[in-house]
Amino acid sequence: MRISTGTRISLRVIALGYLFVLLAVPIAVILWRTFSPGIGEFVASVSTPAAQSAINLSLLIVAIVVPLNVVFGVATALALVRGRFRGRGLLQAVVDLPFAVSPIVVGVALIMLWGAGGWFGGLDNAGFKVIFGLPGMVIATLFVTLPFVVREVEPVLHEIGQEQEQAASTLGANRWQTFWRITLPAIRWGLTYGIVLTVARALGEFGAVIMVSSGFPGVSQTLTLLVHSRYIDDHNTYGAYAAATLLMGIALVVLLLMTVLDRKRSDR
Amino acid sequence: MITVTDARKNYGSFAALDDVSLDIPSGSLTALLGPSGSGKSTLLRSIAGLEGLDSGTVTIEGRDVTNEPPQRRGIGFVFQHYAAFKHMTVRDNVAFGLTIRKRPKAETDKKVDELLEIVGLDGFRNRYPAQLSGGQRQRMALARALAVDPQVLLLDEPFGALDAKVRTDLRQWLRRLHDEVHVTTVLVTHDQEEALDVADRIAVLNKGRIEQVGDPVTLYERPANDFVMGFLGSVAHFGDQLVRPHDIVLERDRATALALDAKVAGSPGVVEAVVERVVPLGFEVRVDLRADSGARFAAQITRRDAADLQLREGETVHARAVGRSSVVEVDPALAI
């Protein structure tokens, strides 16, 4: 099919305009609002005790969630691709559940499960606070980020097949050696991308976390909760913009870091 | 010596191996030959331990390895699609088995250099598999398998993914390598020409069973049954028997044909046939024929004989079969 130059140009204008209005404009507005009063104002706003605590909490959650998701995500992907067991179809569907379920529903479900009077509420009564504590926020974040590593690693495992692993075993490698030397390097790119998505989502998660956090500034606020409370509760619009910019900045740094690290490793 | 005894392997209701027993002598180059689905690859993978048997045993050099994982069987395995470690250089690929065994670096480097020279990849040490051609990748895979000094070398359709020219070169090369290294080698192939070319022993498989085992000449000249005969070369249905097309002689004169045929003991007789087509195939000429009964068969004759006969389409000739050794009874189910 031939497309006339006029149509082609107008199609491009529409596509770019769409992206511009939906993605670029909001981000530009936030950046502009953040930095127009000067960089000093921004630094002051994101270094208050409440902001520092929020940064630490967000990063702590990421630091717990990512390793857990990597270990279980790779194991699940291996089971889905290589395993022949009953209930594989069910497992496939369950992995996608977090994509389908609204985060707020996850929050409610966690409260009903872990909160006082829930199935596992005994823990709460025994003094180990899950809901309105760090464990609750970690579990909520784990739930919403569960599919990323699995879904990024799975197609790569399919593509590489089993021959390289079998070749390694005929050359004397046991399962563990085969995994470290052959499987892991082969799925590296998928895993990296899965981790980037997990980090981004873990930093950005709001709905599930707000349900299970007590939300005290300086204690149990993540960065997203800080943005929310500054805007809604404190009417501190500038503070909200500054925190949002910081959130974007951290996500961007993680993305760049992962890309650079991986490039370095594959160059070696 | 590799000994497989009563090997059985089912995939659901399909029997990939149906009570297979086979002895592979030390130092031989044995081909497992058969059509796809005959169980030849399953047999090879069972020897390697990449496939578990439902029942039966595998011993390698007197050691029962039936329940051993591949890494403890002392084997080298080469895959059809190379199974190159894509993220490693040629050097690291070949060194893999030695690295796993924690051999000193100097020893490993020496061995790798030696092997790369044997397989003709000395200049490619630091390349990645993606920078090699198919034939080079397969030679790298062979060097990798040989690096650990395996007791047996197992090759699963090793030349199947290569183009025709490279395939012939590489199998000549494999034959020479085997003459030098003398490691017991088992090669799976569906190509009878390849089996006849490289192997000193051939086991023909069909439907999960071994039909016949022997050296190439025996199998070609004294096939145990129709399947082996048909699989190891082309055949013609001649009268009520199967013969090789090059064992059919054509005569103009019926009396001559009858007189000469009388000298061949147990011959299938003289068949009168009409020439349908004369196809020159280089140094041979294929003559497509139709017998009185309506059955079609082909004879392969030399260019000189064809020139003497001056055959034209539509003419009648008298065909007789020589070379009694390759004539076997036709299975009624296979006859046209």
Side-chain angles (χ1 to χ4, degrees):
Chain A
M1 193 178 74
R2 286 184 74 98
I3 301 172
S4 72
T5 317
T7 322
R8 202 166 61 224
I9 288 174
S10 47
L11 273 174
R12 277 183 198 169
V13 167
I14 290 170
L16 287 175
Y18 180 83
L19 284 179
F20 186 72
V21 170
L22 278 172
L23 294 177
V25 172
I27 291 173
V29 166
I30 290 176
L31 287 176
W32 181 67
R33 291 285 185 106
T34 303
F35 292 111
S36 56
I39 199 97
E41 192 78 4
F42 168 71
V43 172
S45 180
V46 296
S47 54
T48 65
Q52 279 180 357
S53 148
I55 295 168
N56 289 340
L57 185 58
S58 277
L59 293 180
L60 178 63
I61 291 175
V62 168
I64 298 172
V65 164
V66 167
L68 286 173
N69 266 340
V70 166
V71 173
F72 288 103
V74 171
T76 309
L78 278 168
L80 284 175
V81 176
R82 301 284 154 80
R84 283 190 192 85
F85 53 91
R86 281 170 173 277
R88 215 171 114 232
L90 190 72
L91 185 60
Q92 280 283 9
V94 168
V95 169
D96 279 335
L97 211 59
F99 283 146
V101 177
S102 164
I104 202 110
V105 176
V106 177
V108 173
L110 288 180
I111 290 175
M112 302 218 293
L113 194 61
W114 297 91
W119 283 1
F120 304 148
L123 272 177
D124 195 275
N125 299 335
F128 183 74
K129 267 187 124 33
V130 175
I131 300 302
F132 303 132
L134 178 67
M137 289 191 271
V138 168
I139 294 172
T141 311
L142 275 176
F143 189 104
V144 297
T145 56
L146 181 101
F148 293 117
V149 169
V150 181
R151 287 295 178 237
E152 291 305 324
V153 169
E154 210 187 334
V156 186
L157 279 175
H158 260 298
E159 193 201 309
I160 60 169
Q162 269 178 287
E163 281 205 340
Q164 290 187 51
E165 291 168 14
Q166 291 175 346
S169 76
T170 64
L171 291 165
N174 60 34
R175 279 168 181 249
W176 197 236
Q177 289 168 321
T178 304
F179 177 78
W180 282 105
R181 288 169 186 271
I182 305 300
T183 316
L184 199 59
I187 61 173
R188 196 182 63 208
W189 277 109
L191 186 59
T192 304
Y193 197 56
I195 291 174
V196 168
L197 290 176
T198 304
V199 171
R201 183 68 201 264
L203 284 173
E205 180 48 34
F206 175 72
V209 170
I210 198 171
M211 293 299 293
V212 296
S213 164
S214 51
F216 293 125
V219 182
S220 52
Q221 269 185 350
T222 62
L223 266 175
T224 51
L225 299 185
L226 180 75
V227 174
H228 176 77
S229 80
R230 274 183 173 179
Y231 195 84
I232 302 292
D233 304 333
D234 311 342
H235 304 292
N236 175 4
T237 318
Y238 178 75
Y241 284 139
T245 301
L246 181 67
L247 197 56
M248 282 196 298
I250 294 175
L252 203 67
V253 167
V254 170
L255 181 64
L256 288 174
L257 214 64
M258 292 298 289
T259 316
V260 169
L261 276 182
D262 219 278
R263 188 157 300 163
K264 264 204 175 139
R265 261 199 348 197
S266 54
D267 277 353
R268 200 185 46 177
Chain B
M1 174 102 145
I2 305 170
T3 308
V4 178
T5 314
D6 299 330
R8 175 169 277 282
K9 173 82 182 174
N10 291 318
Y11 294 111
S13 60
F14 172 72
L17 294 178
D18 193 357
D19 283 328
V20 169
S21 295
L22 178 67
D23 284 339
I24 296 163
S26 294
S28 73
L29 203 171
T30 301
L32 305 179
L33 175 68
S36 59
S38 61
K40 56 190 191 304
S41 274
T42 308
L43 180 56
L44 190 82
R45 293 171 66 85
S46 307
I47 296 171
L50 295 171
E51 213 82 66
L53 290 174
D54 294 343
S55 64
T57 58
V58 178
T59 64
I60 296 176
E61 304 297 338
R63 194 165 62 98
D64 185 345
V65 295
T66 313
N67 298 311
E68 294 281 352
Q71 64 263 29
R72 285 205 287 270
R73 291 196 178 198
I75 52 150
F77 200 99
V78 173
F79 296 80
Q80 178 175 5
H81 297 287
Y82 329 124
F85 302 143
K86 294 190 180 110
H87 61 285
M88 294 183 194
T89 59
V90 170
R91 187 260 167 204
D92 289 347
N93 263 277
V94 177
F96 187 84
L98 301 169
T99 315
I100 288 287
R101 285 166 177 74
K102 302 202 167 58
R103 295 280 167 79
K105 193 174 173 299
E107 184 195 322
T108 304
D109 280 334
K110 189 167 164 272
K111 181 97 190 175
V112 170
D113 285 342
E114 248 174 60
L115 282 162
L116 287 181
E117 203 188 314
I118 293 177
V119 301
L121 289 175
D122 357 16
F124 298 85
R125 253 178 90 91
N126 298 317
R127 298 267 189 105
Y128 282 88
Q131 297 166 301
L132 303 181
S133 71
Q136 288 170 334
R137 269 183 239 184
Q138 199 58 301
R139 279 184 281 151
M140 178 192 84
L142 258 161
R144 183 175 73 180
L146 288 170
V148 295
D149 291 322
Q151 289 177 303
V152 297
L153 181 60
L154 308 170
L155 310 150
D156 191 0
E157 302 248 6
F159 314 128
L162 304 168
D163 54 46
K165 173 83 176 84
V166 182
R167 198 182 313 166
T168 1
D169 288 352
L170 216 50
R171 71 187 189 216
Q172 306 284 340
W173 176 85
L174 176 71
R175 181 69 238 183
R176 285 198 301 275
L177 182 79
H178 181 261
D179 293 341
E180 274 171 42
V181 186
H182 280 304
V183 58
T184 311
T185 304
V186 187
L187 169 102
V188 158
T189 180
H190 63 264
D191 179 351
Q192 98 281 355
E193 194 190 314
E194 186 168 296
L196 292 169
D197 189 354
V198 293
D200 43 43
R201 272 174 101 251
I202 299 176
V204 181
L205 279 92
N206 184 33
K207 294 180 182 159
R209 290 173 171 277
I210 291 186
E211 299 280 357
Q212 192 177 3
V213 184
D215 63 274
V217 176
T218 307
L219 257 64
Y220 190 82
E221 292 188 347
R222 287 195 297 281
N225 54 38
D226 291 353
F227 178 82
V228 176
M229 179 160 180
F231 206 77
L232 254 84
S234 42
V235 288
H237 292 272
F238 188 83
D240 57 354
Q241 293 188 350
L242 284 180
V243 294
R244 300 271 180 222
H246 54 71
D247 283 340
I248 295 176
V249 180
L250 303 178
E251 310 282 358
R252 282 278 188 192
D253 179 42
R254 181 165 178 82
T256 316
L258 283 170
L260 289 170
D261 187 56
K263 293 181 189 162
V264 182
S267 84
V270 173
V271 172
E272 195 176 291
V274 176
V275 177
E276 290 204 314
R277 224 176 138 217
V278 179
V279 189
L281 303 167
F283 84 105
E284 277 188 321
V285 175
R286 194 184 77 216
V287 185
D288 294 343
L289 299 152
R290 196 182 66 235
D292 289 345
S293 61
R296 287 189 162 83
F297 62 99
Q300 223 151 332
I301 58 176
T302 62
R303 266 173 52 139
R304 182 183 303 239
D305 289 348
D308 289 349
L309 283 164
Q310 301 253 321
L311 292 174
R312 296 238 165 67
E313 284 165 28
E315 287 178 336
T316 301
V317 290
H318 304 278
R320 63 192 180 89
V322 295
R324 168 77 185 122
S325 56
S326 62
V327 180
V328 290
E329 290 301 311
V330 177
D331 178 346
L334 286 174
I336 312 169

